[in-house]
Amino acid sequence: KLPSKFPILYFNLDKGFKVGNQPFNYTRYEVRIDEFIKIVDLGKVGIQLAAGVTTGDAPYTKLFAGKGSSKSAGVVVHNSFETMGYNEFAADRYLNIFLSHDFGRMYYRSSFFMPNFMVIYNIGWGFMSNPQFHQGPSVIDYSKGYKEAGGFLNNIVVLKLSGLKLGIGAGVFFRYGEYQFHKTTDNALFKFSLNIS
């Protein structure tokens, strides 16, 4: 991926054919747009819109997973749902919006302390047309809208290793809305952030 002042567009098409005993005949479309907007003296806004549709008879493995990256004491994975579990949701149609704002480096910094604050807001909708066709793993969509927000500090500690800089940070993310857990503390997740430059 090369830097660009224009939005970057990705498109993917998968086609499954009915061959022999393999009964699946489907088409899977996916599109994504990435955009970064610099705001003078206020940092950089990141926007990612991702959407997909699967038509025909697709197996469970060809559905869209909710793009969750939740793990106890895990690492921040940009443009994913930080508080959603792996394969917690599935859908044959989805729309996800990932928003971030990086405020840039703080005024006070040193060679090993160069923090910058970032806030994140993610929302997505996933729909399942025929969940009764899928057996085995439970198939739950997120049609009511999955929402989360969080913030973290990057580069709290910066280590220099063989010409590379490794920045370590930390933050907290909160799951809320229709898919939040009953226990409030279960909706908060602490994560580390790693930056290599």
Side-chain angles (χ1 to χ4, degrees), residues 40-139:
V40 178
D41 295 331
L42 290 177
K44 182 169 66 173
V45 175
I47 304 168
Q48 184 184 94
L49 302 174
V53 175
T54 299
T55 61
D57 300 323
Y60 177 82
T61 55
K62 292 301 178 180
L63 298 177
F64 299 104
K67 203 172 181 186
S69 63
S70 172
K71 189 175 181 182
S72 179
V75 176
V76 173
V77 180
H78 290 285
N79 298 321
S80 74
F81 291 105
E82 305 290 347
T83 60
M84 182 188 288
Y86 296 109
N87 299 316
E88 183 178 351
F89 299 98
D92 56 20
R93 293 163 291 141
Y94 82 94
L95 170 65
N96 294 335
I97 303 169
F98 300 105
L99 301 171
S100 64
H101 185 89
D102 186 345
F103 288 93
R105 290 183 181 175
M106 293 183 175
Y107 179 74
Y108 175 78
R109 57 184 182 264
S110 67
S111 59
F112 60 89
F113 179 74
M114 295 183 272
N116 62 299
F117 183 62
M118 181 178 279
V119 292
I120 289 178
Y121 177 75
N122 301 325
I123 186 169
W125 298 266
F127 306 90
M128 177 63 67
S129 301
N130 298 293
Q132 69 276 12
F133 292 168
H134 300 280
Q135 299 177 357
S138 61
V139 178

Side-chain angles (χ1 to χ4, degrees), residues 5-24:
K5 62 181 180 179
F6 301 105
I8 300 171
L9 174 68
Y10 299 85
F11 181 75
N12 189 57
L13 172 67
D14 293 336
K15 177 67 179 166
F17 297 97
K18 187 174 182 178
V19 178
N21 294 329
Q22 192 279 106
F24 303 114

